[in-house]
Amino acid sequence: MKSIKSPVIYKTKYDIDSANQLDDNIREYFKNDEKYRTLLTEYPTVYVINDQNGVKNPSYTVYVGETNDIQRRTLQHLDSDPKDREDFFGLKQSKNAEMYVIGQEHFNKSMTLDVENRLMQYLSSVPAVKHLNNRRHNDQNKYYDSEEFEPLFRKIWKKIGKKNHDLFPAQEILESSALFKASPFNKLTSEQLKAKSEIIEKIRLALSKQKNKKQENGQLILVEGDAGSGKTVLMSNIFYDLVHEDEISFQETQIKTPYQKESSNRLSVAMLVNQNEQLKVYKDISQKIFDKNDNIEVEKPVTFIKNTNPNKKIDIALIDEAHLLLTQRSQSYSNDKRHPEIQVGTNMLKDILKRAKVVMAVFDPKQVLSTTSVWDSEDFKELEEQTGQNNIIYLHNQMRIDASQATIDWIHKLIDKGEIGKIPKDDRYEIKIFRSPAEMQKAIEEKNKKHDRGISRMVATFDWDYSGGKTKPPKEQKYWEVREGDWNMPWNYEINERDKFEKKHRKHGPVKYSNQSWAEKDYTINEIGSTYTVQGFDLNYVGVELGPSVKYRNGQIIHDPDKSANPKATQKRDSTKSYADMLLKNEFNVLMTRGVHGLYIHAVDPELQKALEEAEK
């Protein structure tokens, strides 16, 4: 590829006086460089408007755009846009607002739209950015010189980062965050784009049909796919678009690019997640990119069910990780005596269908982890039949594991069939068997230091006792731990080093963990995760400690419920039905598919460890 020229970036105050003189000021600033003057005043540009609050610990409100005429567009933002949009009114009134104008000699319309979209993805992941005011995303497909986009964007981010490191921190820091990976501004694959188009059309048709009809249950749309097939990114992208749609126009026409006046007739949309770590991510996304005029809810399914009257349905409920919904009543999922008018059944999905006109649910039967979430095969078959094949969409492509097909096949054969073949050689993905958990922990710690490729963590099968803060650990232990011989690591959530960590880094401003997932907290490199903390998330390298429940007998991996310490997986249903074998296999699946670039393994079971070591030779 030919050398990519560096972008030109101009910083200016964002106010009427500066906007009126913008072209002249640019020409004066670059009076000795005609090319730079021309790139910013006569060619397409991308711009970032930002309003800073605070000095010691700055926070920002940001807007990103692209235009063919930067002065005219800036004046429009300052003149007419504040009359229609509260966010632009706030930017106009600010005394601290600034704007960065970005130009480059190969900018065309498609390229600037792509740069705009990528800037929104990165900025929505920046901790200092509290609100991103944009109403659209415009990721592009192939176009002339599109292969230059990645190296060009890196040059843009690096150069603009020198002007404001708080607002534009190092790329590798952002790229490892769960928020970045779940951002609605991620570029969708062709398979995801096709699925999105189908889903939006199905939602629109379902809402139109129900407009003048009262139905007990809403229309269900199921999206099925294995771990790493891009379900969360697709869900996040659809969520963002639907929130900005007008209720009436959406039912009449296909979804449009969401860039319009604020409306009181927005679709009512709920994002429901029954996984604590993933819920944090969606709440953070919502706080950053939605505003008070958006008719949204982001909460746990049980909260939504108990707070929503079936006689007052919302338009759309989106459910991520729907395989974690409860299919039987539990202590946390039961009727509330204070609100007898709102009754719950024994199945969360069915209860949600009574409270929403349309329900889109992402489902992976291989990631069900609890007896209380199991769908009997006949029940799920009945659900699929009621949904109708036309409303079931499948995602097939593997997007998480960056490996050769031979490596992906080896991992899935290990999980699905329990067979251990010879570990393939792969320049893109490393599978390594460790003789001790201590050696594996040390290797993971080394990988974690290389943040340019993301976060690395240790995880384990749930084969060691864990109280979750309810009771104290044994007297000889400071924490509930995963232990083997003289090696041990505290279980997830056991270490609380927050105050100590903040005090240590106080000179850089307080460190806040409230919205970070478990793996993103720096001190959790000293903890070992479980399925309940890493499900749905990517890790750079994952070190998997396979406990005594995972065994190798007669040439095959088996799962022993008697050696598991996970009552959610091993307890029987209705005192008779056991799903332990399936659920422990699912736990194995979740842990073994977390790594993007590498999978490290150690097994407690001697026969399994020996078979894995033989496979590595």
Side-chain angles (χ1 to χ4, degrees):
M1 185 185 294
K2 54 192 173 185
S3 178
I4 306 296
K5 296 288 182 66
S6 180
V8 53
I9 299 172
Y10 177 73
K11 179 181 176 181
T12 178
K13 292 186 69 174
Y14 178 77
D15 56 31
I16 287 291
D17 290 340
S18 299
N20 279 321
Q21 301 296 321
L22 185 55
D23 281 354
D24 289 340
N25 290 341
I26 289 173
R27 293 187 183 99
E28 176 61 24
Y29 187 83
F30 295 108
K31 59 184 178 183
N32 295 323
D33 197 320
E34 182 182 355
K35 187 174 184 180
Y36 277 12
R37 294 198 306 270
T38 304
L39 286 176
L40 294 180
T41 58
E42 300 180 29
Y43 281 76
T45 56
V46 181
Y47 57 94
V48 179
I49 304 168
N50 64 94
D51 180 18
Q52 179 181 333
N53 293 306
V55 178
K56 287 186 177 180
N57 304 303
S59 64
Y60 296 86
T61 297
V62 178
Y63 178 86
V64 185
E66 58 80 36
T67 181
N68 290 327
D69 188 332
I70 187 61
Q71 178 166 308
R72 179 188 58 78
R73 188 70 177 119
T74 306
L75 287 169
Q76 181 182 351
H77 282 321
L78 287 161
D79 182 26
S80 58
D81 287 347
K83 299 172 186 176
D84 299 325
R85 287 179 50 176
E86 188 176 325
D87 48 4
F88 273 107
F89 179 80
L91 286 170
K92 180 179 179 179
Q93 296 300 112
S94 172
K95 296 180 180 180
N96 299 318
E98 297 177 329
M99 182 170 68
Y100 297 93
V101 185
I102 307 165
Q104 206 268 349
E105 62 180 27
H106 286 185
F107 270 7
N108 53 46
K109 186 67 173 178
S110 294
M111 181 72 83
T112 56
L113 286 170
D114 248 2
V115 171
E116 175 195 34
N117 199 72
R118 185 65 63 86
L119 281 169
M120 288 191 286
Q121 181 186 8
Y122 277 80
L123 287 166
S124 65
S125 308
V126 173
V129 173
K130 300 307 176 187
H131 201 72
L132 184 67
N133 286 341
N134 292 68
R135 296 286 187 275
R136 64 178 182 178
H137 51 74
N138 276 317
D139 51 307
Q140 302 295 294
N141 203 345
K142 294 286 186 181
Y143 51 88
Y144 179 71
D145 277 351
S146 61
E147 72 278 1
E148 293 184 358
F149 173 74
E150 292 294 342
L152 173 54
F153 183 81
R154 292 194 175 274
K155 284 181 178 289
I156 291 170
W157 191 266
K158 186 175 181 179
K159 190 167 184 178
I160 201 169
K162 292 178 180 178
K163 295 181 179 293
N164 188 332
H165 186 70
D166 289 324
L167 186 55
F168 306 100
Q171 277 184 275
E172 58 267 21
I173 295 174
L174 299 180
E175 289 170 354
S176 65
S177 73
L179 187 62
F180 180 87
K181 293 172 181 177
S183 169
F185 305 117
N186 272 292
K187 192 165 187 172
L188 301 183
T189 65
S190 56
E191 182 184 51
Q192 288 172 319
L193 285 169
K194 181 181 177 183
K196 175 183 175 179
S197 178
E198 291 179 14
I199 291 165
I200 292 295
E201 179 64 13
K202 293 179 190 301
I203 291 173
R204 186 184 69 79
L205 289 173
L207 286 176
S208 297
K209 287 179 181 178
Q210 294 191 27
K211 190 173 182 181
N212 298 313
K213 295 180 181 179
K214 290 187 177 181
Q215 295 180 215
E216 182 182 353
N217 292 332
Q219 172 66 56
L220 177 63
I221 299 167
L222 273 179
V223 180
E224 296 187 28
D226 290 342
S229 57
K231 301 185 295 296
T232 292
V233 168
L234 175 62
M235 175 71 81
S236 179
N237 188 282
I238 290 174
F239 181 39
Y240 182 81
D241 275 6
L242 291 175
V243 168
H244 291 107
E245 273 299 306
D246 180 86
E247 179 183 358
I248 297 173
S249 62
F250 178 71
Q251 293 177 33
E252 293 174 350
T253 59
Q254 181 59 281
I255 193 167
K256 305 181 294 301
T257 299
Y259 186 78
Q260 57 190 41
K261 293 183 180 182
E262 294 174 350
S263 168
S264 59
N265 296 316
R266 295 282 179 85
L267 290 170
S268 53
V269 186
M271 172 61 76
L272 309 178
V273 194
N274 209 33
Q275 207 261 23
N276 291 330
E277 300 298 319
Q278 197 71 17
L279 184 64
K280 290 178 185 177
V281 172
Y282 278 115
K283 281 186 175 293
D284 205 3
I285 288 174
S286 299
Q287 289 169 5
K288 285 174 179 283
I289 65 178
F290 298 137
D291 58 44
K292 64 183 181 181
N293 295 298
D294 296 323
N295 195 359
I296 66 164
E297 300 173 67
V298 180
E299 55 195 2
K300 282 204 163 187
V302 67
T303 306
F304 169 79
I305 290 167
K306 289 185 176 182
N307 291 342
T308 307
N309 193 318
N311 296 321
K312 297 179 180 179
K313 297 183 194 303
I314 69 161
D315 292 315
I316 305 159
L318 305 174
I319 312 171
D320 201 1
E321 311 277 1
H323 37 268
L324 300 181
L325 294 178
L326 299 179
T327 56
Q328 69 178 65
R329 192 170 291 173
S330 71
Q331 187 174 358
S332 63
Y333 181 46
S334 59
N335 288 312
D336 189 341
K337 294 179 181 179
R338 297 169 298 178
H339 300 284
E341 76 279 7
I342 300 179
Q343 296 291 304
V344 305
T346 57
N347 185 299
M348 279 186 173
L349 181 54
K350 291 180 180 179
D351 276 345
I352 294 168
L353 282 164
K354 292 177 181 179
R355 290 159 170 80
K357 298 173 186 175
V358 183
V359 176
M360 172 191 161
V362 166
F363 194 90
D364 179 3
K366 293 181 182 178
Q367 292 195 66
V368 176
L369 298 176
S370 170
T371 300
T372 56
S373 296
V374 170
W375 283 80
D376 286 324
S377 58
E378 290 302 314
D379 287 341
F380 191 71
K381 184 178 180 182
E382 181 184 343
L383 177 73
E384 289 188 316
E385 288 174 354
Q386 290 175 351
T387 304
Q389 282 299 316
N390 289 335
N391 287 314
I392 302 177
I393 294 167
Y394 300 93
L395 295 177
H396 301 285
N397 294 339
Q398 164 58 240
M399 295 175 62
R400 175 180 293 134
I401 300 173
D402 184 15
S404 66
Q405 190 59 49
T407 297
I408 293 172
D409 290 343
W410 185 90
I411 293 172
H412 283 294
K413 200 172 184 180
L414 185 82
I415 296 167
D416 298 334
K417 298 182 178 180
E419 298 176 5
I420 304 176
K422 183 175 177 58
I423 296 174
K425 300 293 182 183
D426 193 336
D427 294 335
R428 288 156 49 197
Y429 194 91
E430 182 184 17
I431 299 176
K432 189 171 182 179
I433 313 302
F434 285 82
R435 294 184 179 277
S436 75
E439 292 176 9
M440 182 166 68
Q441 180 185 356
K442 185 178 180 181
I444 287 294
E445 288 171 350
E446 288 300 313
K447 289 295 181 183
N448 190 61
K449 292 177 182 177
K450 300 176 181 179
H451 277 294
D452 60 316
R453 302 197 80 184
I455 297 166
S456 298
R457 287 293 183 269
M458 292 278 284
V459 300
T461 51
F462 207 137
D463 294 345
W464 290 265
D465 290 335
Y466 176 57
S467 167
K470 295 177 182 178
T471 60
K472 292 183 179 180
K475 290 183 180 180
E476 69 276 9
Q477 295 177 203
K478 185 177 180 180
Y479 308 109
W480 291 100
E481 295 173 333
V482 173
R483 303 173 68 91
E484 185 184 1
D486 58 359
W487 172 85
N488 59 283
M489 282 189 81
W491 268 118
N492 38 214
Y493 301 131
E494 279 294 286
I495 297 178
N496 186 1
E497 291 187 349
R498 183 180 307 172
D499 292 337
K500 184 171 73 174
F501 186 89
E502 288 187 7
K503 185 176 180 181
K504 181 180 177 183
H505 294 75
R506 190 66 45 86
K507 62 181 180 180
H508 299 303
V511 179
K512 296 181 180 179
Y513 291 125
S514 57
N515 288 324
Q516 286 184 309
S517 64
W518 172 81
E520 292 175 288
K521 299 173 183 178
D522 291 46
Y523 66 84
T524 61
I525 187 64
N526 299 314
E527 290 184 330
I528 193 162
S530 70
T531 50
Y532 301 109
T533 45
V534 298
Q535 186 174 33
F537 292 91
D538 296 347
L539 294 169
N540 176 21
Y541 279 69
V542 60
V544 184
E545 176 71 0
L546 297 174
S549 73
V550 189
K551 299 179 176 180
Y552 190 69
R553 301 292 184 268
N554 301 317
Q556 190 170 26
I557 291 174
I558 62 171
H559 301 277
D560 184 356
D562 292 334
K563 296 297 183 180
S564 172
N566 185 1
K568 291 184 178 181
T570 57
Q571 65 187 4
K572 291 183 178 180
R573 188 158 174 166
D574 303 324
S575 303
T576 57
K577 298 179 182 177
S578 174
Y579 299 95
D581 186 67
M582 177 191 77
L583 295 174
L584 293 179
K585 185 177 179 180
N586 287 356
E587 177 185 29
F588 183 57
N589 171 51
V590 168
L591 297 179
M592 300 293 280
T593 55
R594 292 308 98 193
V596 175
H597 298 295
L599 170 63
Y600 290 171
I601 311 171
H602 174 265
V604 171
D605 179 66
E607 291 185 43
L608 177 56
Q609 179 66 20
K610 182 180 178 181
L612 289 168
E613 289 177 3
E614 288 293 324
E616 192 178 35
K617 292 180 180 178

